[in-house]
Amino acid sequence: MVLGILGGKSHEIKGTVVLMSKNVLDFNEIVSTANAGVAGVVGGIFGTATKVVGGIADGATAIFSRNIAVQLISATKTDGLGNGKVGKLTYLNKHIPTLPTLGDRQDAFSVNIEWDESFGIPGAFYIKNFMQAEFFLVSLTLEDIPNHGTIHFVCNSWVYNAKNYKKDRIFFANKTYVPSETPTPLVKYRKEELENLRGDGTGQRKESDRIYDYDVYNDLGNPDSSADLARPVLGGSSAYPYPRRGRTGRKATKRDPKSEAPTSDTYIPRDENFGHLKSSDFLTYGIKSLAQNVLPQFQSAFGLNAEFDKFDDVRGLFEGGLHLPTDVISQLSPLPVMKEFFRTDGEQVLKFPPPHVIRVSKSAWMTDDEFGREMLAGVNPCLIQRLEEFPPKSKLDASVYGDQTSTITKEHLEINLGGLTVEQALNGNQLFILDHHDAFLPYLRKINDLPTAKSYATRTILYLKDDGTLKPLAIELSLPHPRGDEFGAVSRVILPADQGAESTIWLLAKAYVVVNDSCYHQLMSHWLNTHATIEPFVIATNRHLSVLHPLYKLLIPHYRDTMNINALARQSLINAGGIIEQSFLPGPFSVEMSSAVYKSWVFTDQALPADLLKRGMAIEDPSSPHGLRLVIDDYPYAVDGLEIWSAIQSWVKDYVSIYYATDDAIKKDTELQTWWKEAVEKGHGDLKDKPWWPKLNTIQDLINISSIIIWIASALHAAVNFGQYPYGGYILNRPTLTRRLLPEPGTKEYDELSSNHQKAYLRTITGKYEALVDLSVIEILSRHASDEVYLGQRDNPNWTDDTKALQAFQKFGNKLKEIESKISGRNNNSSLRNRVGPVQLPYTVLLPTSEEGLTFRGIPNSISI
């Protein structure tokens, strides 16, 4: 029901609409071409069918004033049906060429809306777009509302032509209400908008849709192209459990009705794609460009079997550059993603930025100290465990895999324990293990049958020295038994050595460990534990929490662009034959392996304190900060992470306490309860019956759940993402695959261990093509966008009008500034040897803020790359 202005004291409300055009075209360009014929600009740039007469002085006004209209909805006055009154349609007025608060490439328009007191206070508005092209609506601000002042509507949404929608597009003021406190006139509109976002679960999604729904990972394979590109469906079965991803509704492949046909343009709900932002464009579409254009050129130039001859050749990627054939240069140089990789002196040279790990010392990466330090302060610092039993045992099913107990003996360890026995070192909490045995052993037979992969499942035991650093004592390399899995493993224990062939064998043993770790990091610590496990919460939040809900406002910044980057990953990174399969050891079994790890994933263990306790890296101690005491005092990831975790939890507690006074209020919040039930039962449906899922019955439950989600999306992701290129950009330090097993004595390859250790190492690890694939991708993934929004920041200061919430958020921001200062202080403390290490690389990745680019620091709010 649409109302005009009926009686009462009349008044004109001044409004300002801020938006961005589809093509991110500077409106000054439109204006400058107006006299040449605005119709041409509109037709060519915006694709509108509306004709606009040429010669108009203000082209922007001409385009938008006739094609975009708003209708206010009252939050205080109802129509005859008990719903908020709807005002009359009002078109945008004039383009405002300058406005101090405008962001990059945003443009503002005035709108003057008739109002009288019988309409009441606006609480929402409809907007209609009559152009053929969509635009990105940033905000609406209403001023001079009698007895109320200014109302802000934070929108951040793509708005398509009105014919695309069954229901008019609606936006709410920046008020915050739990469902039971929603103003009566807005109740219907609140419910309707959530229904629109849920959809009906049918049909193929189109670009303009905003529907959030769940599906399994059935879109990684391409069986219609080749049987070799078929992949199992992940999710929906006990054999291959997995978190859910966003549903697209695409047609099935011809050969496998359970698999979804691949596409070059994967659907995500439209507002999950921030493609109008310049840096997001570069980062996300850069990956697509690599997969489609760059990597085939690398393969053409070097082939699949090319190797580096010496370590200097690898360093040459950063120092002199890699010479490429002329035809390859001509194909690559125009691509935006590659521009900064080419030398500017005119030579046909591809040159990567030097990774941080070799910026000070070119060889310190080879030391045992650095090998151990990177388990505490490297790119995968959340896997090392305290050794609590000896010998280490396996959790693999003995009826399938036989006895997988470690073959490392006390004698192997005690020769390097400085006089201690294994029992004494265990009791003193001085033995630690990096255990990749169980994750790799079940897949190793299949991996080693691949033409380009040969490796081991590894266990590494380390000793905590008095100076706080870790010393590797032994590495166990295991293979499946040649007679069958049920006979256990065939294992070999390698001990540290610094002379002759034995020293090269030790270096290679460390490489096998690092390859296990690189793959586990990329597929489990990074992809599964952050990207994949967060997406169900993104979907559930948008389906069941209104934008008016306090929890929506708390969580939504931590979801920005996650569905977008995940869809891109399924398309170009983790898909069959994609970048990960090409450059990492498990190849076609890569994502399948992460499904096996997901079987033991526990939501509550993602909280950093719980994770540290579970791994034995901390001991409960109520008298210590955060309620626990670290077993290794100088554990940079844990020390910095606990401060960030505590700050997040304190902020969440302060915020939640504003809106919930009692546990009963939590139980009675219908949106909240439906959100959590669906996130668990559908989003993580394969694990829905696990007893560890928290019940959402108390304020503390909500604080814990929300803190874990924010931690995963922000600090945990930052810790495992932004060190990828700083550490892994030097492929000698973080190889991604091995191509042969240890050579046998008496062979030419074994003799090479002594005569040319560099060649022996390079023959074993990642080849030249795979290295270029890896470097090209992780260089992009390790970068910050210029429009990044960091923890403790918001992209709009008017995200809420609640003063208490704004004050609590300011307190959070101030706390993060304190933490940043403390981290910098620790990095300057020379007694903390793990902070910097032999490579002289300070542990900065959990500093909350960063500049744009490859910085090895900064915690973005969300998983956006």
Side-chain angles (χ1 to χ4, degrees), residues 24 105 273-286:
V24 202
R105 293 177 295 176
N273 186 345
F274 281 71
H276 62 288
L277 300 171
K278 59 184 180 184
S279 294
S280 296
D281 273 351
F282 175 81
L283 295 171
T284 57
Y285 294 104

Side-chain angles (χ1 to χ4, degrees), residues 544-558:
H544 292 293
L545 296 180
S546 164
V547 296
L548 295 168
H549 198 284
L551 192 65
Y552 178 93
K553 286 181 164 58
L554 176 69
L555 295 180
I556 202 65
H558 304 289

Side-chain angles (χ1 to χ4, degrees), residues 449-567:
D449 281 342
L450 297 171
T452 58
K454 296 290 181 291
S455 199
Y456 303 91
T458 67
R459 290 182 175 113
T460 306
I461 294 182
L462 306 100
Y463 169 61
L464 179 63
K465 299 192 295 184
D466 292 342
D467 64 3
T469 63
L470 289 174
K471 173 184 178 180
L473 299 176
I475 294 172
E476 181 182 53
L477 305 177
S478 298
L479 292 170
H481 200 286
R483 291 167 56 199
D485 289 346
E486 66 272 22
F487 293 96
V490 176
S491 300
R492 177 178 178 180
V493 178
I494 310 297
L495 302 181
D498 57 11
Q499 298 291 326
E502 288 76 16
S503 67
T504 306
I505 288 173
W506 175 244
L507 183 64
L508 288 171
K510 291 191 292 183
Y512 292 118
V513 172
V514 172
V515 166
N516 277 187
D517 198 62
S518 294
C519 298
Y520 194 98
H521 160 259
Q522 193 62 259
L523 298 166
M524 277 63 94
S525 302
H526 184 207
W527 167 254
L528 174 66
N529 288 351
T530 63
H531 286 259
T533 54
I534 278 292
E535 184 157 350
F537 297 109
V538 180
I539 297 169
T541 298
N542 283 279
R543 283 169 59 86
H544 292 293
L545 296 180
S546 164
V547 296
L548 295 168
H549 198 284
L551 192 65
Y552 178 93
K553 286 181 164 58
L554 176 69
L555 295 180
I556 202 65
H558 304 289
Y559 298 154
R560 167 176 149 154
D561 240 11
T562 299
M563 290 187 73
N564 185 25
I565 190 64
N566 285 4

Side-chain angles (χ1 to χ4, degrees), residues 626-818:
H626 321 295
L628 49 78
R629 176 172 52 82
L630 292 176
V631 176
I632 301 178
D633 292 334
D634 183 16
Y635 183 0
Y637 164 71
V639 173
D640 297 356
L642 283 170
E643 292 191 351
I644 299 292
W645 165 265
S646 180
I648 290 171
Q649 195 172 46
S650 295
W651 148 238
V652 172
K653 181 179 180 181
D654 289 346
Y655 180 84
V656 165
S657 299
I658 297 169
Y659 303 102
Y660 298 97
T662 66
D663 292 341
D664 197 48
I666 297 287
K667 296 174 187 175
K668 290 181 178 177
D669 187 326
T670 52
E671 287 184 6
L672 194 64
Q673 293 299 324
T674 307
W675 163 75
W676 184 241
K677 178 180 174 64
E678 187 176 277
V680 173
E681 296 183 359
K682 288 191 176 181
H684 286 277
D686 298 329
L687 303 180
K688 66 181 180 180
D689 296 324
K690 297 294 183 180
W692 42 255
W693 282 110
K695 307 297 182 186
L696 186 45
N697 291 327
T698 68
I699 294 172
Q700 191 59 49
D701 290 338
L702 182 57
I703 292 169
N704 293 342
I705 289 167
S706 303
S707 298
I708 291 172
I709 291 172
I710 294 172
W711 165 259
I712 293 172
S714 58
L716 179 58
H717 178 258
V720 298
N721 184 74
F722 293 103
Q724 289 187 85
Y725 192 83
Y727 282 111
Y730 193 50
I731 201 70
L732 303 181
N733 185 55
R734 295 284 294 179
T736 59
L737 57 86
T738 44
R739 295 172 292 139
R740 66 176 188 175
L741 301 176
L742 287 175
E744 294 296 327
T747 63
K748 181 180 70 173
E749 290 79 9
Y750 189 88
D751 293 340
E752 191 177 52
L753 298 177
S754 299
S755 63
N756 191 342
H757 75 277
Q758 291 192 14
K759 187 66 176 176
Y761 190 77
L762 290 166
R763 282 187 191 276
T764 303
I765 67 161
T766 315
K768 184 178 288 187
Y769 168 71
E770 293 88 355
L772 292 174
V773 172
D774 182 49
L775 266 62
S776 300
V777 175
I778 64 173
E779 202 277 344
I780 293 176
L781 295 179
S782 302
R783 284 185 169 272
H784 288 293
S786 64
D787 42 49
E788 200 91 81
V789 184
Y790 295 93
L791 195 62
Q793 301 174 358
R794 292 281 176 135
D795 61 357
N796 191 312
N798 299 309
W799 61 275
T800 181
D801 76 336
D802 191 321
T803 302
K804 289 183 179 179
L806 292 171
Q807 289 173 345
F809 190 63
Q810 181 64 48
K811 175 183 169 185
F812 177 46
N814 291 339
K815 182 63 177 177
L816 290 173
K817 290 177 183 176
E818 290 178 22

Side-chain angles (χ1 to χ4, degrees), residues 70 72 110 157 179 309 313 377 383 507 528 644 708 725 785 804 838:
V70 300
L72 296 185
S110 63
S157 180
D309 289 322
D313 291 347
L383 203 60
L507 183 64
L528 174 66
I644 299 292
I708 291 172
Y725 192 83
K804 289 183 179 179

Side-chain angles (χ1 to χ4, degrees), residues 396 435-444 457 520 524 593 596-597:
L396 295 175
D435 192 344
H436 288 296
H437 182 92
D438 286 4
F440 281 84
L441 201 284
Y443 284 88
L444 205 52
Y520 194 98
M524 277 63 94
M593 282 182 66
V597 172

Side-chain angles (χ1 to χ4, degrees), residues 356-378:
H356 299 63
V357 75
I358 56 166
R359 288 185 181 178
V360 177
S361 169
K362 294 179 181 179
S363 59
W365 64 272
M366 298 174 68
T367 63
D368 288 356
D369 280 354
E370 182 61 23
F371 175 70
R373 186 191 80 96
E374 289 187 24
M375 299 178 196
L376 303 173

